[in-house]
Amino acid sequence: MEGDRRVGVAVDFSPCSTEALKWTVDNVIRTGDHLILVTVRSEVFYEEGEMQLWETSGSPLIPLSEFCESIMKKYGVKPDPETLDIVNTAAAQKEIVVLMKIYWGDAREKICEAIDNIPLSCLVIGNRGLGVIKRVIMGSVSNYVVNNASCPVTVVKQANHE
């Protein structure tokens, strides 16, 4: 079944999502897989009218070759150099297809929508390691996704968290 898997990683370009991406590349990705970076922008930023069309369904799938500054600026996304290095290296070494899908809105809901709409075989998500009180007040994206996703979800904690 090589080439049939669509492995998603929820990324917000924070240290915990970078850790989840590294873990995915090291432990999940196989030759021929599709690695799909799912990112959700909380604010709605329209540079052009066409962005309104994507507010509900998300952006088109963006290939790695188009992860350039001008394209990412159009979507209001700023991938960090470490993330770009990880996916470029993985694409070359493991012969995988890397794509990005951008959504706008509530991260919890949009990540679950992405699982069904892309569709994803599995999802890996980072955990910021919020304490109990912050998690209750702010809510945990990873907890919501684990409980509501229609595919297997792996939560990766940062190495420096206990």
Side-chain angles (χ1 to χ4, degrees), residues 3-116:
D4 290 342
R5 294 189 329 155
R6 291 180 173 208
V7 178
V9 180
V11 293
D12 61 2
F13 311 109
S14 67
C16 63
S17 75
T18 302
E19 192 72 30
L21 179 59
K22 287 179 190 173
W23 187 90
T24 304
V25 169
D26 292 343
N27 298 289
V28 180
I29 293 295
R30 299 187 302 230
T31 300
D33 283 348
H34 286 72
L35 174 62
I36 301 175
L37 307 181
V38 178
T39 189
V40 181
R41 307 288 296 152
S42 58
E43 74 277 359
V44 177
F45 170 76
Y46 297 124
E47 185 173 294
E48 298 180 23
E50 65 190 68
M51 299 293 280
Q52 292 177 337
L53 298 173
W54 302 326
E55 183 178 0
T56 304
S57 62
S59 72
L61 287 169
I62 304 164
L64 178 60
S65 62
E66 294 182 17
F67 284 21
C68 63
E69 191 173 325
S70 62
I71 296 292
M72 293 296 106
K73 183 179 178 186
K74 175 180 179 178
Y75 296 106
V77 174
K78 296 176 186 161
D80 64 293
E82 186 176 10
T83 298
L84 294 174
D85 182 53
I86 293 166
V87 296
N88 278 307
T89 302
Q93 290 179 351
K94 298 200 175 202
E95 300 174 10
I96 60 170
V97 175
V98 179
L99 303 163
M100 182 182 288
K101 179 88 170 170
I102 304 164
Y103 289 89
W104 292 268
D106 181 81
R108 295 172 291 198
E109 294 173 7
K110 293 299 182 177
I111 291 170
C112 288
E113 284 178 29
I115 290 168
D116 295 328

